Amino acid sequence: MANFTTREEWLGALADEMRPLFDALGYPIPTNIRFTCGWPSKGAGSRNKTLGQCFPPEKSHDNTHEIIVGMSLSEPLRVADVLAHELTHAAVGVDAGHKGPFRTVAKAIGLEGKMTATTGGEAFKQSVAPMLAKVGDYPHATLDYSSIKKQSTRMIKCVCMECGYTVRVSRKWLAIGGEPICPTDQINMDMD
């Protein structure tokens, strides 16, 4: 049993263990792939939590697939099925969405349920159990995102084109009062 100190190493080792599952289906896992544990770019704090995300290589400056597994997960089997879901995106191409080859591969490796929110079925659990035993404990503790207060107001940056004066205003006050007046213009008007 391995003893990984980082989540990224653990995720990479588990992905390597899963490679034969994908190879057997004719959809190998790409070799240019990076793993991290973090907050997916959308839905992490919403009711329908996004648990993982796969970015295609063309989104990365070094042409690498990027997979994020949510920080709200710490149970190794659940992490494994989220990782398998994201690896399926990488193997078949993110453009496939959750249809066609994605659905075929996901079902073949034992993922079940709605294709946008799969979970590992019994076949998946049986095939991944020895892999999890080999990679050892997942070096992560669940982070609770629900108590983090979301920013409620986005301030709009307004810049005077003449002097560069900068102020931030809420969208509400822009709608009510219109564009802010540059104090430099006001001072100049008062001095005239």
Side-chain angles (χ1 to χ4, degrees):
M1 179 168 77
N3 188 19
F4 295 101
T5 57
T6 70
R7 299 170 291 217
E8 291 77 11
E9 290 173 327
W10 190 91
L11 291 166
L14 184 57
D16 286 342
E17 291 294 319
M18 290 184 184
R19 284 184 185 281
L21 298 175
F22 290 85
D23 290 343
L25 298 169
Y27 287 96
I29 296 169
T31 56
N32 61 330
I33 194 164
R34 243 189 313 266
F35 306 94
T36 193
C37 182
W39 299 117
S41 68
K42 55 186 176 183
S46 66
R47 192 170 59 89
N48 299 320
K49 291 182 180 179
T50 300
L51 301 177
Q53 197 164 16
C54 178
F55 290 93
E58 56 271 12
K59 298 292 183 189
S60 172
H61 286 280
D62 65 356
N63 202 39
T64 302
H65 295 266
E66 304 278 352
I67 290 182
I68 300 171
V69 174
M71 296 183 75
S72 62
L73 303 175
S74 62
E75 197 280 311
L77 187 56
R78 185 64 175 130
V79 172
D81 70 40
V82 169
L83 178 63
H85 179 109
E86 302 311 329
L87 288 170
T88 303
H89 280 301
V92 305
V94 175
D95 290 347
H98 293 99
K99 298 179 180 179
F102 177 90
R103 182 179 183 80
T104 301
V105 172
K107 286 184 161 284
I109 64 171
L111 297 179
E112 298 178 346
K114 187 176 174 185
M115 288 295 112
T116 56
T118 59
T119 57
E122 283 307 311
F124 178 81
K125 291 174 185 176
Q126 288 178 7
S127 67
V128 82
M131 298 175 199
L132 288 171
K134 188 172 179 181
V135 298
D137 294 333
Y138 183 45
H140 174 71
T142 301
L143 290 177
D144 182 8
Y145 186 80
S146 64
S147 63
I148 296 172
K149 186 178 176 186
K150 286 179 126 182
Q151 180 180 352
S152 60
T153 304
R154 286 272 178 206
M155 303 303 278
I156 310 299
K157 183 178 179 181
C158 300
V159 179
C160 175
M161 300 306 277
E162 310 245 336
C163 71
Y165 171 75
T166 304
V167 65
R168 294 188 183 272
V169 181
S170 72
R171 195 172 301 279
K172 171 188 169 185
W173 289 109
L174 279 174
I176 293 171
E179 295 178 9
I181 298 170
C182 175
T184 306
D185 289 343
Q186 188 67 41
I187 292 168
N188 289 341
M189 286 177 27
D190 289 342
M191 294 177 79
D192 289 338

Short mmCIF file of all heavy atoms in Angstrom, two decimals, residues 136-185:
data_model
loop_
_atom_site.label_atom_id
_atom_site.label_comp_id
_atom_site.label_asym_id
_atom_site.label_seq_id
_atom_site.Cartn_x
_atom_site.Cartn_y
_atom_site.Cartn_z
N GLY A 136 -3.84 3.40 -1.17
CA GLY A 136 -3.91 3.76 0.25
C GLY A 136 -4.89 4.87 0.54
O GLY A 136 -5.75 5.22 -0.26
N ASP A 137 -4.74 5.44 1.72
CA ASP A 137 -5.66 6.48 2.20
C ASP A 137 -5.55 7.75 1.36
O ASP A 137 -4.47 8.17 0.96
CB ASP A 137 -5.35 6.83 3.65
CG ASP A 137 -5.64 5.67 4.59
OD1 ASP A 137 -6.50 4.83 4.26
OD2 ASP A 137 -4.99 5.61 5.65
N TYR A 138 -6.71 8.37 1.14
CA TYR A 138 -6.76 9.65 0.43
C TYR A 138 -6.32 10.75 1.40
O TYR A 138 -6.97 10.95 2.43
CB TYR A 138 -8.19 9.89 -0.07
CG TYR A 138 -8.40 11.14 -0.89
CD1 TYR A 138 -7.53 11.50 -1.91
CD2 TYR A 138 -9.51 11.94 -0.67
CE1 TYR A 138 -7.74 12.63 -2.68
CE2 TYR A 138 -9.75 13.07 -1.44
CZ TYR A 138 -8.86 13.41 -2.44
OH TYR A 138 -9.09 14.54 -3.20
N PRO A 139 -5.23 11.46 1.10
CA PRO A 139 -4.70 12.46 2.05
C PRO A 139 -5.46 13.78 2.01
O PRO A 139 -4.94 14.81 1.59
CB PRO A 139 -3.25 12.62 1.61
CG PRO A 139 -3.27 12.33 0.14
CD PRO A 139 -4.35 11.30 -0.06
N HIS A 140 -6.72 13.74 2.43
CA HIS A 140 -7.56 14.93 2.37
C HIS A 140 -8.66 14.81 3.42
O HIS A 140 -9.13 13.73 3.72
CB HIS A 140 -8.20 15.04 0.97
CG HIS A 140 -9.20 16.14 0.85
ND1 HIS A 140 -8.85 17.47 0.84
CD2 HIS A 140 -10.55 16.12 0.73
CE1 HIS A 140 -9.94 18.21 0.71
NE2 HIS A 140 -10.99 17.41 0.65
N ALA A 141 -9.05 15.92 3.97
CA ALA A 141 -10.21 16.00 4.86
C ALA A 141 -11.24 16.90 4.21
O ALA A 141 -10.89 17.88 3.54
CB ALA A 141 -9.79 16.57 6.22
N THR A 142 -12.49 16.56 4.36
CA THR A 142 -13.58 17.33 3.76
C THR A 142 -13.54 18.79 4.21
O THR A 142 -13.33 19.07 5.38
CB THR A 142 -14.93 16.72 4.17
OG1 THR A 142 -14.97 15.37 3.74
CG2 THR A 142 -16.09 17.48 3.55
N LEU A 143 -13.73 19.68 3.25
CA LEU A 143 -13.88 21.10 3.55
C LEU A 143 -15.34 21.46 3.33
O LEU A 143 -15.91 21.15 2.29
CB LEU A 143 -12.99 21.96 2.66
CG LEU A 143 -11.49 21.85 2.94
CD1 LEU A 143 -10.71 22.69 1.94
CD2 LEU A 143 -11.17 22.30 4.34
N ASP A 144 -15.95 22.12 4.30
CA ASP A 144 -17.35 22.50 4.22
C ASP A 144 -17.46 23.90 3.62
O ASP A 144 -17.07 24.88 4.23
CB ASP A 144 -17.98 22.47 5.61
CG ASP A 144 -19.45 22.82 5.59
OD1 ASP A 144 -20.04 22.95 4.49
OD2 ASP A 144 -20.01 22.99 6.68
N TYR A 145 -17.99 23.97 2.42
CA TYR A 145 -18.14 25.21 1.68
C TYR A 145 -19.42 25.94 2.05
O TYR A 145 -19.55 27.14 1.85
CB TYR A 145 -18.12 24.90 0.18
CG TYR A 145 -18.11 26.10 -0.72
CD1 TYR A 145 -16.93 26.80 -0.97
CD2 TYR A 145 -19.26 26.55 -1.33
CE1 TYR A 145 -16.92 27.90 -1.81
CE2 TYR A 145 -19.26 27.65 -2.17
CZ TYR A 145 -18.09 28.32 -2.41
OH TYR A 145 -18.08 29.41 -3.22
N SER A 146 -20.38 25.22 2.62
CA SER A 146 -21.71 25.79 2.83
C SER A 146 -21.73 26.98 3.78
O SER A 146 -22.60 27.83 3.68
CB SER A 146 -22.67 24.72 3.34
OG SER A 146 -22.25 24.26 4.61
N SER A 147 -20.79 27.05 4.70
CA SER A 147 -20.81 28.15 5.67
C SER A 147 -20.06 29.39 5.19
O SER A 147 -20.06 30.41 5.86
CB SER A 147 -20.21 27.68 7.00
OG SER A 147 -18.86 27.32 6.81
N ILE A 148 -19.42 29.30 4.03
CA ILE A 148 -18.69 30.45 3.50
C ILE A 148 -19.69 31.42 2.89
O ILE A 148 -20.48 31.05 2.02
CB ILE A 148 -17.64 30.00 2.46
CG1 ILE A 148 -16.60 29.12 3.14
CG2 ILE A 148 -17.00 31.21 1.79
CD1 ILE A 148 -15.62 28.47 2.18
N LYS A 149 -19.67 32.65 3.37
CA LYS A 149 -20.60 33.65 2.88
C LYS A 149 -20.18 34.08 1.47
O LYS A 149 -19.04 34.43 1.23
CB LYS A 149 -20.61 34.86 3.81
CG LYS A 149 -21.66 35.87 3.45
CD LYS A 149 -21.68 37.03 4.43
CE LYS A 149 -22.69 38.05 3.95
NZ LYS A 149 -22.68 39.25 4.73
N LYS A 150 -21.16 34.04 0.57
CA LYS A 150 -20.89 34.48 -0.79
C LYS A 150 -20.96 36.00 -0.87
O LYS A 150 -21.74 36.63 -0.16
CB LYS A 150 -21.94 33.90 -1.75
CG LYS A 150 -21.77 32.44 -2.04
CD LYS A 150 -22.85 32.00 -2.97
CE LYS A 150 -22.23 31.35 -4.17
NZ LYS A 150 -23.22 30.93 -5.15
N GLN A 151 -20.16 36.55 -1.75
CA GLN A 151 -20.20 37.98 -2.00
C GLN A 151 -21.55 38.28 -2.66
O GLN A 151 -21.90 37.65 -3.66
CB GLN A 151 -19.06 38.40 -2.91
CG GLN A 151 -19.05 39.87 -3.22
CD GLN A 151 -17.90 40.26 -4.14
OE1 GLN A 151 -17.03 39.46 -4.42
NE2 GLN A 151 -17.91 41.47 -4.59
N SER A 152 -22.29 39.22 -2.12
CA SER A 152 -23.62 39.49 -2.65
C SER A 152 -23.64 40.64 -3.66
O SER A 152 -24.52 40.73 -4.48
CB SER A 152 -24.59 39.77 -1.51
OG SER A 152 -24.15 40.90 -0.79
N THR A 153 -22.69 41.53 -3.57
CA THR A 153 -22.69 42.69 -4.46
C THR A 153 -21.39 42.72 -5.26
O THR A 153 -20.31 42.67 -4.69
CB THR A 153 -22.80 44.00 -3.65
OG1 THR A 153 -23.98 43.93 -2.86
CG2 THR A 153 -22.87 45.21 -4.56
N ARG A 154 -21.53 42.81 -6.55
CA ARG A 154 -20.37 42.98 -7.42
C ARG A 154 -20.25 44.45 -7.74
O ARG A 154 -21.19 45.07 -8.23
CB ARG A 154 -20.53 42.20 -8.73
CG ARG A 154 -20.36 40.74 -8.57
CD ARG A 154 -18.91 40.42 -8.72
NE ARG A 154 -18.73 38.99 -8.53
CZ ARG A 154 -17.61 38.46 -8.12
NH1 ARG A 154 -16.58 39.21 -7.87
NH2 ARG A 154 -17.50 37.18 -7.98
N MET A 155 -19.12 45.02 -7.43
CA MET A 155 -18.91 46.43 -7.70
C MET A 155 -18.41 46.62 -9.13
O MET A 155 -17.55 45.87 -9.59
CB MET A 155 -17.91 47.01 -6.69
CG MET A 155 -18.33 46.82 -5.23
SD MET A 155 -19.93 47.54 -4.85
CE MET A 155 -19.44 49.21 -4.58
N ILE A 156 -18.94 47.60 -9.81
CA ILE A 156 -18.58 47.91 -11.18
C ILE A 156 -17.50 49.00 -11.15
O ILE A 156 -17.65 50.02 -10.49
CB ILE A 156 -19.80 48.43 -11.99
CG1 ILE A 156 -21.01 47.49 -11.84
CG2 ILE A 156 -19.43 48.65 -13.46
CD1 ILE A 156 -20.80 46.09 -12.33
N LYS A 157 -16.43 48.75 -11.89
CA LYS A 157 -15.34 49.72 -11.94
C LYS A 157 -15.66 50.79 -12.98
O LYS A 157 -15.92 50.49 -14.14
CB LYS A 157 -14.03 49.00 -12.32
CG LYS A 157 -12.81 49.88 -12.33
CD LYS A 157 -11.58 49.04 -12.66
CE LYS A 157 -10.32 49.85 -12.71
NZ LYS A 157 -9.15 49.00 -13.05
N CYS A 158 -15.64 52.04 -12.55
CA CYS A 158 -15.88 53.18 -13.44
C CYS A 158 -14.62 54.03 -13.47
O CYS A 158 -14.07 54.38 -12.43
CB CYS A 158 -17.06 54.02 -12.94
SG CYS A 158 -18.60 53.10 -12.84
N VAL A 159 -14.15 54.38 -14.66
CA VAL A 159 -12.90 55.12 -14.82
C VAL A 159 -13.16 56.35 -15.69
O VAL A 159 -13.76 56.25 -16.76
CB VAL A 159 -11.82 54.24 -15.48
CG1 VAL A 159 -10.52 55.01 -15.66
CG2 VAL A 159 -11.58 52.97 -14.67
N CYS A 160 -12.68 57.50 -15.24
CA CYS A 160 -12.76 58.72 -16.03
C CYS A 160 -11.79 58.59 -17.20
O CYS A 160 -10.60 58.33 -16.99
CB CYS A 160 -12.42 59.95 -15.17
SG CYS A 160 -12.36 61.48 -16.14
N MET A 161 -12.27 58.77 -18.39
CA MET A 161 -11.43 58.62 -19.58
C MET A 161 -10.42 59.77 -19.71
O MET A 161 -9.44 59.65 -20.42
CB MET A 161 -12.30 58.54 -20.84
CG MET A 161 -13.27 57.36 -20.82
SD MET A 161 -12.45 55.79 -20.53
CE MET A 161 -11.93 55.41 -22.16
N GLU A 162 -10.67 60.87 -19.03
CA GLU A 162 -9.79 62.03 -19.14
C GLU A 162 -8.61 61.97 -18.17
O GLU A 162 -7.47 62.15 -18.54
CB GLU A 162 -10.60 63.31 -18.88
CG GLU A 162 -11.86 63.38 -19.70
CD GLU A 162 -11.84 64.51 -20.68
OE1 GLU A 162 -11.10 65.48 -20.47
OE2 GLU A 162 -12.56 64.39 -21.68
N CYS A 163 -8.90 61.70 -16.88
CA CYS A 163 -7.83 61.77 -15.87
C CYS A 163 -7.51 60.43 -15.22
O CYS A 163 -6.52 60.31 -14.50
CB CYS A 163 -8.19 62.78 -14.78
SG CYS A 163 -9.54 62.21 -13.71
N GLY A 164 -8.35 59.42 -15.45
CA GLY A 164 -8.08 58.11 -14.86
C GLY A 164 -8.69 57.90 -13.49
O GLY A 164 -8.48 56.87 -12.87
N TYR A 165 -9.41 58.90 -12.95
CA TYR A 165 -10.07 58.75 -11.65
C TYR A 165 -10.89 57.46 -11.68
O TYR A 165 -11.62 57.19 -12.64
CB TYR A 165 -10.97 59.96 -11.38
CG TYR A 165 -11.86 59.80 -10.17
CD1 TYR A 165 -11.34 59.90 -8.88
CD2 TYR A 165 -13.22 59.54 -10.31
CE1 TYR A 165 -12.16 59.76 -7.77
CE2 TYR A 165 -14.04 59.40 -9.21
CZ TYR A 165 -13.50 59.50 -7.93
OH TYR A 165 -14.30 59.35 -6.84
N THR A 166 -10.77 56.65 -10.62
CA THR A 166 -11.44 55.35 -10.57
C THR A 166 -12.30 55.25 -9.33
O THR A 166 -11.89 55.63 -8.24
CB THR A 166 -10.39 54.22 -10.55
OG1 THR A 166 -9.54 54.37 -11.70
CG2 THR A 166 -11.04 52.86 -10.59
N VAL A 167 -13.50 54.73 -9.53
CA VAL A 167 -14.43 54.49 -8.42
C VAL A 167 -15.20 53.20 -8.73
O VAL A 167 -15.38 52.84 -9.89
CB VAL A 167 -15.38 55.71 -8.23
CG1 VAL A 167 -16.28 55.90 -9.42
CG2 VAL A 167 -16.18 55.56 -6.95
N ARG A 168 -15.60 52.51 -7.68
CA ARG A 168 -16.42 51.30 -7.87
C ARG A 168 -17.81 51.57 -7.31
O ARG A 168 -17.96 52.14 -6.24
CB ARG A 168 -15.78 50.11 -7.17
CG ARG A 168 -14.46 49.74 -7.83
CD ARG A 168 -13.90 48.44 -7.28
NE ARG A 168 -12.63 48.14 -7.85
CZ ARG A 168 -12.43 47.46 -8.98
NH1 ARG A 168 -13.47 47.00 -9.64
NH2 ARG A 168 -11.23 47.22 -9.42
N VAL A 169 -18.81 51.16 -8.08
CA VAL A 169 -20.21 51.45 -7.75
C VAL A 169 -21.03 50.18 -7.98
O VAL A 169 -20.77 49.44 -8.92
CB VAL A 169 -20.75 52.59 -8.65
CG1 VAL A 169 -22.19 52.93 -8.32
CG2 VAL A 169 -19.87 53.81 -8.57
N SER A 170 -22.03 49.95 -7.13
CA SER A 170 -22.90 48.80 -7.34
C SER A 170 -23.78 49.05 -8.56
O SER A 170 -24.08 50.20 -8.92
CB SER A 170 -23.74 48.51 -6.11
OG SER A 170 -24.74 49.50 -5.97
N ARG A 171 -24.23 47.98 -9.16
CA ARG A 171 -25.10 48.06 -10.34
C ARG A 171 -26.39 48.80 -9.99
O ARG A 171 -26.93 49.57 -10.79
CB ARG A 171 -25.39 46.64 -10.84
CG ARG A 171 -25.98 46.59 -12.23
CD ARG A 171 -26.06 45.17 -12.76
NE ARG A 171 -24.80 44.46 -12.83
CZ ARG A 171 -23.89 44.59 -13.81
NH1 ARG A 171 -24.13 45.42 -14.80
NH2 ARG A 171 -22.79 43.89 -13.80
N LYS A 172 -26.87 48.60 -8.77
CA LYS A 172 -28.10 49.26 -8.31
C LYS A 172 -27.95 50.78 -8.40
O LYS A 172 -28.82 51.48 -8.92
CB LYS A 172 -28.41 48.85 -6.87
CG LYS A 172 -29.53 49.63 -6.23
CD LYS A 172 -29.64 49.28 -4.75
CE LYS A 172 -30.55 50.25 -4.03
NZ LYS A 172 -30.58 50.01 -2.60
N TRP A 173 -26.83 51.33 -7.86
CA TRP A 173 -26.66 52.77 -7.84
C TRP A 173 -26.32 53.33 -9.21
O TRP A 173 -26.65 54.49 -9.50
CB TRP A 173 -25.64 53.19 -6.78
CG TRP A 173 -26.23 53.00 -5.42
CD1 TRP A 173 -25.89 52.06 -4.50
CD2 TRP A 173 -27.33 53.72 -4.88
NE1 TRP A 173 -26.71 52.15 -3.41
CE2 TRP A 173 -27.61 53.18 -3.60
CE3 TRP A 173 -28.12 54.77 -5.32
CZ2 TRP A 173 -28.62 53.64 -2.78
CZ3 TRP A 173 -29.13 55.24 -4.49
CH2 TRP A 173 -29.38 54.68 -3.24
N LEU A 174 -25.75 52.52 -10.08
CA LEU A 174 -25.57 52.98 -11.46
C LEU A 174 -26.93 53.15 -12.13
O LEU A 174 -27.15 54.12 -12.86
CB LEU A 174 -24.72 51.98 -12.26
CG LEU A 174 -23.22 52.06 -12.08
CD1 LEU A 174 -22.53 50.92 -12.82
CD2 LEU A 174 -22.68 53.39 -12.56
N ALA A 175 -27.84 52.21 -11.85
CA ALA A 175 -29.18 52.29 -12.43
C ALA A 175 -29.96 53.48 -11.87
O ALA A 175 -30.67 54.18 -12.60
CB ALA A 175 -29.93 50.98 -12.19
N ILE A 176 -29.82 53.73 -10.58
CA ILE A 176 -30.57 54.82 -9.94
C ILE A 176 -29.98 56.20 -10.27
O ILE A 176 -30.67 57.12 -10.66
CB ILE A 176 -30.63 54.63 -8.40
CG1 ILE A 176 -31.47 53.40 -8.07
CG2 ILE A 176 -31.18 55.87 -7.70
CD1 ILE A 176 -31.43 52.98 -6.61
N GLY A 177 -28.66 56.33 -10.10
CA GLY A 177 -28.04 57.65 -10.21
C GLY A 177 -27.25 57.90 -11.47
O GLY A 177 -26.76 59.01 -11.68
N GLY A 178 -27.09 56.90 -12.29
CA GLY A 178 -26.29 57.06 -13.50
C GLY A 178 -24.80 57.02 -13.21
O GLY A 178 -24.38 56.69 -12.10
N GLU A 179 -24.02 57.37 -14.21
CA GLU A 179 -22.56 57.33 -14.07
C GLU A 179 -22.09 58.30 -12.99
O GLU A 179 -22.64 59.40 -12.87
CB GLU A 179 -21.89 57.71 -15.39
CG GLU A 179 -22.15 56.74 -16.51
CD GLU A 179 -21.50 57.19 -17.81
OE1 GLU A 179 -20.73 58.17 -17.81
OE2 GLU A 179 -21.79 56.57 -18.83
N PRO A 180 -21.06 57.91 -12.23
CA PRO A 180 -20.52 58.84 -11.24
C PRO A 180 -19.86 60.03 -11.93
O PRO A 180 -19.43 59.94 -13.07
CB PRO A 180 -19.49 58.01 -10.48
CG PRO A 180 -19.37 56.72 -11.17
CD PRO A 180 -20.40 56.62 -12.22
N ILE A 181 -19.80 61.15 -11.23
CA ILE A 181 -19.17 62.35 -11.76
C ILE A 181 -17.74 62.41 -11.24
O ILE A 181 -17.51 62.28 -10.04
CB ILE A 181 -19.95 63.61 -11.33
CG1 ILE A 181 -21.37 63.54 -11.90
CG2 ILE A 181 -19.23 64.88 -11.78
CD1 ILE A 181 -22.29 64.60 -11.35
N CYS A 182 -16.80 62.64 -12.12
CA CYS A 182 -15.39 62.73 -11.74
C CYS A 182 -15.19 63.97 -10.87
O CYS A 182 -15.57 65.08 -11.26
CB CYS A 182 -14.52 62.78 -12.98
SG CYS A 182 -12.77 63.03 -12.62
N PRO A 183 -14.59 63.82 -9.68
CA PRO A 183 -14.38 65.00 -8.83
C PRO A 183 -13.42 66.01 -9.47
O PRO A 183 -13.51 67.20 -9.20
CB PRO A 183 -13.80 64.43 -7.53
CG PRO A 183 -13.35 63.06 -7.85
CD PRO A 183 -14.11 62.60 -9.06
N THR A 184 -12.52 65.54 -10.32
CA THR A 184 -11.62 66.46 -11.01
C THR A 184 -12.43 67.39 -11.90
O THR A 184 -12.21 68.59 -11.92
CB THR A 184 -10.59 65.68 -11.86
OG1 THR A 184 -9.94 64.73 -11.04
CG2 THR A 184 -9.58 66.60 -12.49
N ASP A 185 -13.40 66.84 -12.62
CA ASP A 185 -14.27 67.66 -13.46
C ASP A 185 -15.09 68.62 -12.60
O ASP A 185 -15.27 69.77 -12.94
CB ASP A 185 -15.23 66.78 -14.29
CG ASP A 185 -14.51 66.02 -15.39
OD1 ASP A 185 -13.37 66.41 -15.73
OD2 ASP A 185 -15.09 65.05 -15.89
#
